[in-house]
Amino acid sequence: MRLPLSFEFFPTKTPEGAVKLRAVRQQLYARKPEFCSVTYGAGGSTHQGTFGAVQEILSEGVDAASHFSCIGATRATVREQLAELKAMGVKRLVALRGDLPSGYGIGGEFLYASDLVAFIREETGRDFHIEVACYPEVHPQARSPEADLQAFAAKVKAGADSAITQYFFSPEAYFRFVDDTRKLGLDVPIVPGIMPITSSTQLMRFSDACGAEIPRWIRLRLQGFGDDTASIKAFGLDVVTDLCARLQGGGAPALHFYTMNQSVATLAVLERLG
Ligand SMILES: Cc1cc2nc3c(=O)[nH]c(=O)nc-3n(C[C@H](O)[C@H](O)[C@H](O)COP(=O)(O)OP(=O)(O)OC[C@H]3O[C@@H](n4cnc5c(N)ncnc54)[C@H](O)[C@@H]3O)c2cc1C
């Protein structure tokens, strides 16, 4: 695998989980990631856990990106947390709107991720490299594919340096999205987000929630395996390795893995890619 790599984690809830995650990170560091990122619970729910994990990654000698979501946040809280991240030595952010769990009011002073990107640039200049999210298969709440593309353009114009996609299994969707952005004159790197397949129920649940499409043939094959996890994993490894090879062959600038805090499936794909 010649492409630069990054690995995404989520903050753990228990001390035992944190110990396990440290071991997972060490296994993945063998692949020399460009950076590792830690997700951030919308509404600030994982503030301590996210920043704590980011600090640990930095102390392990690896560049770390903190995800940062703005839904429900105020300018004052964002300003405070940016200062905290800067003091920790963080140089990279993944700036997002986020999704509030149902039951939370929207509130807050930011409507969209583009507002957050503009605010970060206004407050901190070029202190941070800013990544944003994008959706080759269209964000589930977008008014239309065109509106979603414009929303992405707004984030780039507000100052985003690069983008990471929602995961997908159809390389055509990614290549078409990249082409569409280039036609708009946007030239930031667009890094495919890769979701290893290890469980069909988990994958179906996530995909329904985030709008990622599982092609019919993949869905049917996964359903056909029932509870046979070994076959699900073997099939998932074939599918995801092939996807990565096609992305690499088609000019993707890097790969970002949604590790789900596990190393085995990601490492298996990377090993297969050679
Ligand atoms: C790489 C990646 C990492 C992620 N990490 C996290 C995380 O750590 N924590 C978390 O909570 N979630 C995370 N998410 C999920 C993300 O928060 C959700 O997908 C969320 O619904 C949208 O976030 P966004 O930053 O893309 O929002 P936005 O870019 O603001 O877009 C949200 C919606 O609003 C629309 N929109 C944007 N601007 C406008 C406008 N001006 N007018 C009308 N409509 C507009 C867009 O088309 C889209 O439908 C991540 C997603 C990705 C792809």
Side-chain angles (χ1 to χ4, degrees), residues 8 39-42 67 69 94-99 111-114 133-135 139 141-143 147-148 151 155 164-166 258:
E8 178 173 315
T39 62
Y40 184 94
H67 291 219
S69 78
V94 183
L96 302 145
R97 184 194 69 176
D99 288 313
L111 264 184
Y112 299 113
S114 52
C134 63
Y135 304 85
H139 185 265
Q141 291 155 9
R143 282 195 308 261
D148 206 33
K155 294 192 271 197
I164 303 171
T165 74
Q166 183 57 275
Y258 297 106

PDB file of all heavy atoms in Angstrom, residues 8 39-42 67 69 94-99 111-114 133-135 139 141-143 147-148 151 155 164-166 258, ligand 1:
ATOM      1  N   GLU A   8      -9.192   6.248  12.159  1.00  0.00           N
ATOM      2  CA  GLU A   8     -10.134   6.955  13.033  1.00  0.00           C
ATOM      3  C   GLU A   8     -10.563   6.068  14.203  1.00  0.00           C
ATOM      4  O   GLU A   8     -10.829   4.885  14.030  1.00  0.00           O
ATOM      5  CB  GLU A   8     -11.356   7.361  12.196  1.00  0.00           C
ATOM      6  CG  GLU A   8     -12.426   8.074  13.006  1.00  0.00           C
ATOM      7  CD  GLU A   8     -13.539   8.612  12.118  1.00  0.00           C
ATOM      8  OE1 GLU A   8     -13.255   9.212  11.061  1.00  0.00           O
ATOM      9  OE2 GLU A   8     -14.711   8.431  12.501  1.00  0.00           O
ATOM     10  N   THR A  39     -13.152  10.773  17.167  1.00  0.00           N
ATOM     11  CA  THR A  39     -14.471  11.385  16.953  1.00  0.00           C
ATOM     12  C   THR A  39     -14.904  12.172  18.185  1.00  0.00           C
ATOM     13  O   THR A  39     -14.358  12.012  19.288  1.00  0.00           O
ATOM     14  CB  THR A  39     -15.545  10.324  16.624  1.00  0.00           C
ATOM     15  OG1 THR A  39     -15.660   9.451  17.743  1.00  0.00           O
ATOM     16  CG2 THR A  39     -15.191   9.547  15.377  1.00  0.00           C
ATOM     17  N   TYR A  40     -15.886  13.019  17.949  1.00  0.00           N
ATOM     18  CA  TYR A  40     -16.349  13.950  18.984  1.00  0.00           C
ATOM     19  C   TYR A  40     -17.864  13.842  19.043  1.00  0.00           C
ATOM     20  O   TYR A  40     -18.530  14.029  18.019  1.00  0.00           O
ATOM     21  CB  TYR A  40     -15.917  15.353  18.554  1.00  0.00           C
ATOM     22  CG  TYR A  40     -16.197  16.469  19.521  1.00  0.00           C
ATOM     23  CD1 TYR A  40     -15.216  16.863  20.440  1.00  0.00           C
ATOM     24  CD2 TYR A  40     -17.412  17.150  19.506  1.00  0.00           C
ATOM     25  CE1 TYR A  40     -15.457  17.911  21.307  1.00  0.00           C
ATOM     26  CE2 TYR A  40     -17.645  18.201  20.384  1.00  0.00           C
ATOM     27  CZ  TYR A  40     -16.662  18.569  21.275  1.00  0.00           C
ATOM     28  OH  TYR A  40     -16.903  19.606  22.143  1.00  0.00           O
ATOM     29  N   GLY A  41     -18.419  13.525  20.213  1.00  0.00           N
ATOM     30  CA  GLY A  41     -19.875  13.378  20.335  1.00  0.00           C
ATOM     31  C   GLY A  41     -20.562  14.720  20.161  1.00  0.00           C
ATOM     32  O   GLY A  41     -20.173  15.701  20.802  1.00  0.00           O
ATOM     33  N   ALA A  42     -21.553  14.758  19.272  1.00  0.00           N
ATOM     34  CA  ALA A  42     -22.249  16.027  19.037  1.00  0.00           C
ATOM     35  C   ALA A  42     -22.822  16.546  20.356  1.00  0.00           C
ATOM     36  O   ALA A  42     -23.227  15.772  21.214  1.00  0.00           O
ATOM     37  CB  ALA A  42     -23.357  15.815  18.026  1.00  0.00           C
ATOM     38  N   HIS A  67     -11.732  15.482  16.014  1.00  0.00           N
ATOM     39  CA  HIS A  67     -12.991  15.851  15.373  1.00  0.00           C
ATOM     40  C   HIS A  67     -13.620  16.910  16.274  1.00  0.00           C
ATOM     41  O   HIS A  67     -13.380  16.952  17.479  1.00  0.00           O
ATOM     42  CB  HIS A  67     -13.922  14.641  15.270  1.00  0.00           C
ATOM     43  CG  HIS A  67     -13.445  13.600  14.310  1.00  0.00           C
ATOM     44  ND1 HIS A  67     -14.285  12.902  13.489  1.00  0.00           N
ATOM     45  CD2 HIS A  67     -12.198  13.133  14.047  1.00  0.00           C
ATOM     46  CE1 HIS A  67     -13.598  12.054  12.754  1.00  0.00           C
ATOM     47  NE2 HIS A  67     -12.324  12.162  13.077  1.00  0.00           N
ATOM     48  N   SER A  69     -17.403  18.937  16.544  1.00  0.00           N
ATOM     49  CA  SER A  69     -18.718  19.199  15.936  1.00  0.00           C
ATOM     50  C   SER A  69     -19.337  20.434  16.585  1.00  0.00           C
ATOM     51  O   SER A  69     -19.095  20.729  17.750  1.00  0.00           O
ATOM     52  CB  SER A  69     -19.619  17.974  16.065  1.00  0.00           C
ATOM     53  OG  SER A  69     -20.131  17.889  17.353  1.00  0.00           O
ATOM     54  N   VAL A  94     -10.978  17.875  12.378  1.00  0.00           N
ATOM     55  CA  VAL A  94     -12.011  17.459  11.430  1.00  0.00           C
ATOM     56  C   VAL A  94     -13.260  18.229  11.859  1.00  0.00           C
ATOM     57  O   VAL A  94     -13.843  17.955  12.909  1.00  0.00           O
ATOM     58  CB  VAL A  94     -12.253  15.937  11.469  1.00  0.00           C
ATOM     59  CG1 VAL A  94     -13.283  15.539  10.409  1.00  0.00           C
ATOM     60  CG2 VAL A  94     -10.947  15.159  11.252  1.00  0.00           C
ATOM     61  N   ALA A  95     -13.615  19.250  11.082  1.00  0.00           N
ATOM     62  CA  ALA A  95     -14.674  20.188  11.490  1.00  0.00           C
ATOM     63  C   ALA A  95     -16.019  19.736  10.934  1.00  0.00           C
ATOM     64  O   ALA A  95     -16.182  19.583   9.721  1.00  0.00           O
ATOM     65  CB  ALA A  95     -14.338  21.588  10.989  1.00  0.00           C
ATOM     66  N   LEU A  96     -16.972  19.523  11.836  1.00  0.00           N
ATOM     67  CA  LEU A  96     -18.255  18.914  11.456  1.00  0.00           C
ATOM     68  C   LEU A  96     -19.434  19.650  12.058  1.00  0.00           C
ATOM     69  O   LEU A  96     -19.291  20.318  13.085  1.00  0.00           O
ATOM     70  CB  LEU A  96     -18.301  17.482  12.024  1.00  0.00           C
ATOM     71  CG  LEU A  96     -17.177  16.576  11.581  1.00  0.00           C
ATOM     72  CD1 LEU A  96     -16.788  15.649  12.708  1.00  0.00           C
ATOM     73  CD2 LEU A  96     -17.558  15.821  10.350  1.00  0.00           C
ATOM     74  N   ARG A  97     -20.587  19.435  11.450  1.00  0.00           N
ATOM     75  CA  ARG A  97     -21.798  19.904  12.109  1.00  0.00           C
ATOM     76  C   ARG A  97     -22.165  18.949  13.236  1.00  0.00           C
ATOM     77  O   ARG A  97     -22.462  19.373  14.347  1.00  0.00           O
ATOM     78  CB  ARG A  97     -22.957  19.962  11.107  1.00  0.00           C
ATOM     79  CG  ARG A  97     -24.202  20.541  11.722  1.00  0.00           C
ATOM     80  CD  ARG A  97     -25.420  20.294  10.877  1.00  0.00           C
ATOM     81  NE  ARG A  97     -25.792  18.880  10.868  1.00  0.00           N
ATOM     82  CZ  ARG A  97     -26.871  18.387  10.271  1.00  0.00           C
ATOM     83  NH1 ARG A  97     -27.666  19.202   9.608  1.00  0.00           N
ATOM     84  NH2 ARG A  97     -27.147  17.092  10.317  1.00  0.00           N
ATOM     85  N   GLY A  98     -22.157  17.642  12.958  1.00  0.00           N
ATOM     86  CA  GLY A  98     -22.566  16.661  13.952  1.00  0.00           C
ATOM     87  C   GLY A  98     -24.054  16.384  13.872  1.00  0.00           C
ATOM     88  O   GLY A  98     -24.802  17.078  13.180  1.00  0.00           O
ATOM     89  N   ASP A  99     -24.458  15.350  14.563  1.00  0.00           N
ATOM     90  CA  ASP A  99     -25.874  14.974  14.647  1.00  0.00           C
ATOM     91  C   ASP A  99     -26.230  14.876  16.107  1.00  0.00           C
ATOM     92  O   ASP A  99     -25.623  14.086  16.832  1.00  0.00           O
ATOM     93  CB  ASP A  99     -26.096  13.584  14.025  1.00  0.00           C
ATOM     94  CG  ASP A  99     -25.967  13.605  12.519  1.00  0.00           C
ATOM     95  OD1 ASP A  99     -26.561  14.511  11.906  1.00  0.00           O
ATOM     96  OD2 ASP A  99     -25.289  12.723  11.980  1.00  0.00           O
ATOM     97  N   LEU A 111     -25.102  26.744  12.364  1.00  0.00           N
ATOM     98  CA  LEU A 111     -26.098  25.920  11.671  1.00  0.00           C
ATOM     99  C   LEU A 111     -25.427  24.791  10.904  1.00  0.00           C
ATOM    100  O   LEU A 111     -25.896  23.670  10.892  1.00  0.00           O
ATOM    101  CB  LEU A 111     -26.860  26.779  10.657  1.00  0.00           C
ATOM    102  CG  LEU A 111     -28.195  27.371  11.076  1.00  0.00           C
ATOM    103  CD1 LEU A 111     -28.825  28.099   9.898  1.00  0.00           C
ATOM    104  CD2 LEU A 111     -29.129  26.286  11.605  1.00  0.00           C
ATOM    105  N   TYR A 112     -24.313  25.126  10.241  1.00  0.00           N
ATOM    106  CA  TYR A 112     -23.672  24.177   9.336  1.00  0.00           C
ATOM    107  C   TYR A 112     -22.166  24.129   9.595  1.00  0.00           C
ATOM    108  O   TYR A 112     -21.580  25.083  10.134  1.00  0.00           O
ATOM    109  CB  TYR A 112     -23.917  24.584   7.873  1.00  0.00           C
ATOM    110  CG  TYR A 112     -25.370  24.597   7.508  1.00  0.00           C
ATOM    111  CD1 TYR A 112     -26.027  25.791   7.209  1.00  0.00           C
ATOM    112  CD2 TYR A 112     -26.102  23.411   7.483  1.00  0.00           C
ATOM    113  CE1 TYR A 112     -27.379  25.795   6.880  1.00  0.00           C
ATOM    114  CE2 TYR A 112     -27.443  23.403   7.153  1.00  0.00           C
ATOM    115  CZ  TYR A 112     -28.077  24.593   6.858  1.00  0.00           C
ATOM    116  OH  TYR A 112     -29.407  24.590   6.539  1.00  0.00           O
ATOM    117  N   ALA A 113     -21.551  23.048   9.127  1.00  0.00           N
ATOM    118  CA  ALA A 113     -20.099  22.915   9.297  1.00  0.00           C
ATOM    119  C   ALA A 113     -19.356  24.081   8.636  1.00  0.00           C
ATOM    120  O   ALA A 113     -18.295  24.500   9.119  1.00  0.00           O
ATOM    121  CB  ALA A 113     -19.626  21.585   8.722  1.00  0.00           C
ATOM    122  N   SER A 114     -19.906  24.615   7.535  1.00  0.00           N
ATOM    123  CA  SER A 114     -19.225  25.746   6.864  1.00  0.00           C
ATOM    124  C   SER A 114     -19.110  26.947   7.820  1.00  0.00           C
ATOM    125  O   SER A 114     -18.128  27.687   7.781  1.00  0.00           O
ATOM    126  CB  SER A 114     -19.951  26.145   5.584  1.00  0.00           C
ATOM    127  OG  SER A 114     -21.317  26.369   5.842  1.00  0.00           O
ATOM    128  N   ALA A 133     -16.073  16.861   6.229  1.00  0.00           N
ATOM    129  CA  ALA A 133     -16.712  15.632   5.736  1.00  0.00           C
ATOM    130  C   ALA A 133     -17.343  15.886   4.374  1.00  0.00           C
ATOM    131  O   ALA A 133     -17.744  17.011   4.072  1.00  0.00           O
ATOM    132  CB  ALA A 133     -17.798  15.200   6.724  1.00  0.00           C
ATOM    133  N   CYS A 134     -17.432  14.822   3.562  1.00  0.00           N
ATOM    134  CA  CYS A 134     -18.192  14.940   2.315  1.00  0.00           C
ATOM    135  C   CYS A 134     -18.827  13.587   1.984  1.00  0.00           C
ATOM    136  O   CYS A 134     -18.459  12.566   2.574  1.00  0.00           O
ATOM    137  CB  CYS A 134     -17.324  15.469   1.183  1.00  0.00           C
ATOM    138  SG  CYS A 134     -15.966  14.398   0.749  1.00  0.00           S
ATOM    139  N   TYR A 135     -19.771  13.615   1.064  1.00  0.00           N
ATOM    140  CA  TYR A 135     -20.699  12.501   0.894  1.00  0.00           C
ATOM    141  C   TYR A 135     -20.878  12.131  -0.579  1.00  0.00           C
ATOM    142  O   TYR A 135     -21.773  12.645  -1.247  1.00  0.00           O
ATOM    143  CB  TYR A 135     -22.054  12.881   1.529  1.00  0.00           C
ATOM    144  CG  TYR A 135     -21.887  13.267   2.982  1.00  0.00           C
ATOM    145  CD1 TYR A 135     -21.536  14.584   3.337  1.00  0.00           C
ATOM    146  CD2 TYR A 135     -22.013  12.317   3.983  1.00  0.00           C
ATOM    147  CE1 TYR A 135     -21.313  14.927   4.660  1.00  0.00           C
ATOM    148  CE2 TYR A 135     -21.802  12.658   5.311  1.00  0.00           C
ATOM    149  CZ  TYR A 135     -21.449  13.965   5.639  1.00  0.00           C
ATOM    150  OH  TYR A 135     -21.226  14.298   6.951  1.00  0.00           O
ATOM    151  N   HIS A 139     -25.457  13.404   1.386  1.00  0.00           N
ATOM    152  CA  HIS A 139     -25.849  13.417   2.804  1.00  0.00           C
ATOM    153  C   HIS A 139     -27.359  13.174   2.919  1.00  0.00           C
ATOM    154  O   HIS A 139     -28.136  13.731   2.151  1.00  0.00           O
ATOM    155  CB  HIS A 139     -25.462  14.774   3.423  1.00  0.00           C
ATOM    156  CG  HIS A 139     -25.712  14.821   4.900  1.00  0.00           C
ATOM    157  ND1 HIS A 139     -26.866  15.333   5.432  1.00  0.00           N
ATOM    158  CD2 HIS A 139     -24.964  14.393   5.947  1.00  0.00           C
ATOM    159  CE1 HIS A 139     -26.806  15.236   6.754  1.00  0.00           C
ATOM    160  NE2 HIS A 139     -25.665  14.669   7.097  1.00  0.00           N
ATOM    161  N   GLN A 141     -29.683  14.277   4.709  1.00  0.00           N
ATOM    162  CA  GLN A 141     -30.610  15.414   4.889  1.00  0.00           C
ATOM    163  C   GLN A 141     -30.490  16.461   3.779  1.00  0.00           C
ATOM    164  O   GLN A 141     -31.119  17.513   3.866  1.00  0.00           O
ATOM    165  CB  GLN A 141     -30.339  16.096   6.239  1.00  0.00           C
ATOM    166  CG  GLN A 141     -30.720  15.237   7.425  1.00  0.00           C
ATOM    167  CD  GLN A 141     -29.924  15.607   8.671  1.00  0.00           C
ATOM    168  OE1 GLN A 141     -29.214  16.611   8.699  1.00  0.00           O
ATOM    169  NE2 GLN A 141     -30.049  14.783   9.697  1.00  0.00           N
ATOM    170  N   ALA A 142     -29.675  16.191   2.774  1.00  0.00           N
ATOM    171  CA  ALA A 142     -29.483  17.214   1.732  1.00  0.00           C
ATOM    172  C   ALA A 142     -30.765  17.399   0.913  1.00  0.00           C
ATOM    173  O   ALA A 142     -31.472  16.415   0.653  1.00  0.00           O
ATOM    174  CB  ALA A 142     -28.334  16.801   0.819  1.00  0.00           C
ATOM    175  N   ARG A 143     -31.008  18.633   0.495  1.00  0.00           N
ATOM    176  CA  ARG A 143     -32.203  18.906  -0.334  1.00  0.00           C
ATOM    177  C   ARG A 143     -32.072  18.218  -1.689  1.00  0.00           C
ATOM    178  O   ARG A 143     -33.041  17.752  -2.257  1.00  0.00           O
ATOM    179  CB  ARG A 143     -32.360  20.415  -0.546  1.00  0.00           C
ATOM    180  CG  ARG A 143     -32.952  21.155   0.653  1.00  0.00           C
ATOM    181  CD  ARG A 143     -33.414  22.535   0.226  1.00  0.00           C
ATOM    182  NE  ARG A 143     -32.346  23.260  -0.480  1.00  0.00           N
ATOM    183  CZ  ARG A 143     -31.575  24.172   0.094  1.00  0.00           C
ATOM    184  NH1 ARG A 143     -31.761  24.485   1.356  1.00  0.00           N
ATOM    185  NH2 ARG A 143     -30.635  24.787  -0.588  1.00  0.00           N
ATOM    186  N   ALA A 147     -27.410  20.531  -4.115  1.00  0.00           N
ATOM    187  CA  ALA A 147     -27.342  21.360  -2.891  1.00  0.00           C
ATOM    188  C   ALA A 147     -26.233  20.831  -1.978  1.00  0.00           C
ATOM    189  O   ALA A 147     -25.516  21.600  -1.327  1.00  0.00           O
ATOM    190  CB  ALA A 147     -28.694  21.344  -2.181  1.00  0.00           C
ATOM    191  N   ASP A 148     -26.070  19.513  -1.939  1.00  0.00           N
ATOM    192  CA  ASP A 148     -25.045  18.928  -1.073  1.00  0.00           C
ATOM    193  C   ASP A 148     -23.640  19.260  -1.584  1.00  0.00           C
ATOM    194  O   ASP A 148     -22.724  19.538  -0.798  1.00  0.00           O
ATOM    195  CB  ASP A 148     -25.250  17.414  -0.998  1.00  0.00           C
ATOM    196  CG  ASP A 148     -24.708  16.823   0.297  1.00  0.00           C
ATOM    197  OD1 ASP A 148     -24.756  17.521   1.332  1.00  0.00           O
ATOM    198  OD2 ASP A 148     -24.237  15.677   0.271  1.00  0.00           O
ATOM    199  N   ALA A 151     -22.978  22.675  -0.619  1.00  0.00           N
ATOM    200  CA  ALA A 151     -22.660  22.734   0.822  1.00  0.00           C
ATOM    201  C   ALA A 151     -21.193  22.363   1.031  1.00  0.00           C
ATOM    202  O   ALA A 151     -20.494  22.964   1.858  1.00  0.00           O
ATOM    203  CB  ALA A 151     -23.578  21.795   1.598  1.00  0.00           C
ATOM    204  N   LYS A 155     -17.863  24.756   2.397  1.00  0.00           N
ATOM    205  CA  LYS A 155     -16.867  24.423   3.437  1.00  0.00           C
ATOM    206  C   LYS A 155     -15.450  24.677   2.923  1.00  0.00           C
ATOM    207  O   LYS A 155     -14.586  25.143   3.657  1.00  0.00           O
ATOM    208  CB  LYS A 155     -17.029  22.956   3.869  1.00  0.00           C
ATOM    209  CG  LYS A 155     -18.349  22.696   4.565  1.00  0.00           C
ATOM    210  CD  LYS A 155     -18.408  21.346   5.251  1.00  0.00           C
ATOM    211  CE  LYS A 155     -18.911  20.235   4.391  1.00  0.00           C
ATOM    212  NZ  LYS A 155     -19.347  19.047   5.167  1.00  0.00           N
ATOM    213  N   ILE A 164     -12.627  14.252   4.012  1.00  0.00           N
ATOM    214  CA  ILE A 164     -12.717  12.793   4.173  1.00  0.00           C
ATOM    215  C   ILE A 164     -14.157  12.412   3.850  1.00  0.00           C
ATOM    216  O   ILE A 164     -15.097  13.069   4.326  1.00  0.00           O
ATOM    217  CB  ILE A 164     -12.386  12.371   5.620  1.00  0.00           C
ATOM    218  CG1 ILE A 164     -10.996  12.854   6.033  1.00  0.00           C
ATOM    219  CG2 ILE A 164     -12.510  10.858   5.775  1.00  0.00           C
ATOM    220  CD1 ILE A 164     -10.670  12.669   7.512  1.00  0.00           C
ATOM    221  N   THR A 165     -14.329  11.363   3.056  1.00  0.00           N
ATOM    222  CA  THR A 165     -15.694  10.999   2.665  1.00  0.00           C
ATOM    223  C   THR A 165     -16.371  10.110   3.709  1.00  0.00           C
ATOM    224  O   THR A 165     -15.704   9.382   4.459  1.00  0.00           O
ATOM    225  CB  THR A 165     -15.728  10.214   1.332  1.00  0.00           C
ATOM    226  OG1 THR A 165     -15.258   8.873   1.577  1.00  0.00           O
ATOM    227  CG2 THR A 165     -14.913  10.888   0.251  1.00  0.00           C
ATOM    228  N   GLN A 166     -17.687  10.147   3.693  1.00  0.00           N
ATOM    229  CA  GLN A 166     -18.470   9.089   4.329  1.00  0.00           C
ATOM    230  C   GLN A 166     -18.081   7.785   3.622  1.00  0.00           C
ATOM    231  O   GLN A 166     -17.667   7.816   2.460  1.00  0.00           O
ATOM    232  CB  GLN A 166     -19.964   9.391   4.126  1.00  0.00           C
ATOM    233  CG  GLN A 166     -20.885   8.415   4.800  1.00  0.00           C
ATOM    234  CD  GLN A 166     -20.629   8.333   6.280  1.00  0.00           C
ATOM    235  OE1 GLN A 166     -19.748   7.573   6.707  1.00  0.00           O
ATOM    236  NE2 GLN A 166     -21.321   9.115   7.058  1.00  0.00           N
ATOM    237  N   TYR A 258     -12.106   3.848   9.010  1.00  0.00           N
ATOM    238  CA  TYR A 258     -12.973   3.853  10.199  1.00  0.00           C
ATOM    239  C   TYR A 258     -12.677   2.551  10.927  1.00  0.00           C
ATOM    240  O   TYR A 258     -13.245   1.508  10.602  1.00  0.00           O
ATOM    241  CB  TYR A 258     -14.443   3.920   9.773  1.00  0.00           C
ATOM    242  CG  TYR A 258     -14.804   5.191   9.038  1.00  0.00           C
ATOM    243  CD1 TYR A 258     -15.023   5.212   7.662  1.00  0.00           C
ATOM    244  CD2 TYR A 258     -14.923   6.386   9.734  1.00  0.00           C
ATOM    245  CE1 TYR A 258     -15.353   6.392   7.004  1.00  0.00           C
ATOM    246  CE2 TYR A 258     -15.252   7.570   9.079  1.00  0.00           C
ATOM    247  CZ  TYR A 258     -15.461   7.557   7.722  1.00  0.00           C
ATOM    248  OH  TYR A 258     -15.788   8.724   7.072  1.00  0.00           O
TER     249      TYR A 258
HETATM  250  C1  LIG B   1     -15.253  11.793   7.971  1.00  0.00           C
HETATM  251  C2  LIG B   1     -16.433  11.964   8.877  1.00  0.00           C
HETATM  252  C3  LIG B   1     -16.227  12.115  10.244  1.00  0.00           C
HETATM  253  C4  LIG B   1     -17.310  12.313  11.114  1.00  0.00           C
HETATM  254  N1  LIG B   1     -17.073  12.455  12.459  1.00  0.00           N
HETATM  255  C5  LIG B   1     -18.094  12.742  13.297  1.00  0.00           C
HETATM  256  C6  LIG B   1     -17.868  13.002  14.686  1.00  0.00           C
HETATM  257  O1  LIG B   1     -16.731  12.952  15.166  1.00  0.00           O
HETATM  258  N2  LIG B   1     -18.931  13.324  15.456  1.00  0.00           N
HETATM  259  C7  LIG B   1     -20.193  13.402  14.945  1.00  0.00           C
HETATM  260  O2  LIG B   1     -21.132  13.716  15.690  1.00  0.00           O
HETATM  261  N3  LIG B   1     -20.460  13.135  13.649  1.00  0.00           N
HETATM  262  C8  LIG B   1     -19.436  12.824  12.811  1.00  0.00           C
HETATM  263  N4  LIG B   1     -19.692  12.594  11.482  1.00  0.00           N
HETATM  264  C9  LIG B   1     -21.078  12.609  10.997  1.00  0.00           C
HETATM  265  C10 LIG B   1     -21.523  14.043  10.644  1.00  0.00           C
HETATM  266  O3  LIG B   1     -21.524  14.853  11.794  1.00  0.00           O
HETATM  267  C11 LIG B   1     -22.938  13.935  10.073  1.00  0.00           C
HETATM  268  O4  LIG B   1     -22.889  13.343   8.789  1.00  0.00           O
HETATM  269  C12 LIG B   1     -23.715  15.247  10.038  1.00  0.00           C
HETATM  270  O5  LIG B   1     -25.083  14.950   9.765  1.00  0.00           O
HETATM  271  C13 LIG B   1     -23.263  16.239   8.975  1.00  0.00           C
HETATM  272  O6  LIG B   1     -22.076  16.817   9.308  1.00  0.00           O
HETATM  273  P1  LIG B   1     -21.320  17.767   8.238  1.00  0.00           P
HETATM  274  O7  LIG B   1     -20.170  18.316   8.948  1.00  0.00           O
HETATM  275  O8  LIG B   1     -21.101  17.039   7.000  1.00  0.00           O
HETATM  276  O9  LIG B   1     -22.469  18.884   8.058  1.00  0.00           O
HETATM  277  P2  LIG B   1     -22.737  20.002   6.976  1.00  0.00           P
HETATM  278  O10 LIG B   1     -21.645  20.119   6.002  1.00  0.00           O
HETATM  279  O11 LIG B   1     -23.137  21.199   7.752  1.00  0.00           O
HETATM  280  O12 LIG B   1     -24.004  19.412   6.200  1.00  0.00           O
HETATM  281  C14 LIG B   1     -25.147  18.961   6.913  1.00  0.00           C
HETATM  282  C15 LIG B   1     -26.365  18.995   5.994  1.00  0.00           C
HETATM  283  O13 LIG B   1     -26.733  20.339   5.777  1.00  0.00           O
HETATM  284  C16 LIG B   1     -26.761  20.647   4.384  1.00  0.00           C
HETATM  285  N5  LIG B   1     -26.235  22.008   4.256  1.00  0.00           N
HETATM  286  C17 LIG B   1     -24.998  22.456   4.516  1.00  0.00           C
HETATM  287  N6  LIG B   1     -24.917  23.783   4.329  1.00  0.00           N
HETATM  288  C18 LIG B   1     -26.142  24.185   3.960  1.00  0.00           C
HETATM  289  C19 LIG B   1     -26.719  25.451   3.642  1.00  0.00           C
HETATM  290  N7  LIG B   1     -25.996  26.563   3.659  1.00  0.00           N
HETATM  291  N8  LIG B   1     -28.047  25.495   3.317  1.00  0.00           N
HETATM  292  C20 LIG B   1     -28.797  24.367   3.290  1.00  0.00           C
HETATM  293  N9  LIG B   1     -28.311  23.139   3.584  1.00  0.00           N
HETATM  294  C21 LIG B   1     -26.995  23.053   3.919  1.00  0.00           C
HETATM  295  C22 LIG B   1     -25.855  19.594   3.733  1.00  0.00           C
HETATM  296  O14 LIG B   1     -26.222  19.366   2.381  1.00  0.00           O
HETATM  297  C23 LIG B   1     -26.136  18.384   4.615  1.00  0.00           C
HETATM  298  O15 LIG B   1     -27.342  17.758   4.232  1.00  0.00           O
HETATM  299  C24 LIG B   1     -18.636  12.353  10.601  1.00  0.00           C
HETATM  300  C25 LIG B   1     -18.840  12.179   9.219  1.00  0.00           C
HETATM  301  C26 LIG B   1     -17.762  11.983   8.359  1.00  0.00           C
HETATM  302  C27 LIG B   1     -18.002  11.789   6.891  1.00  0.00           C
END
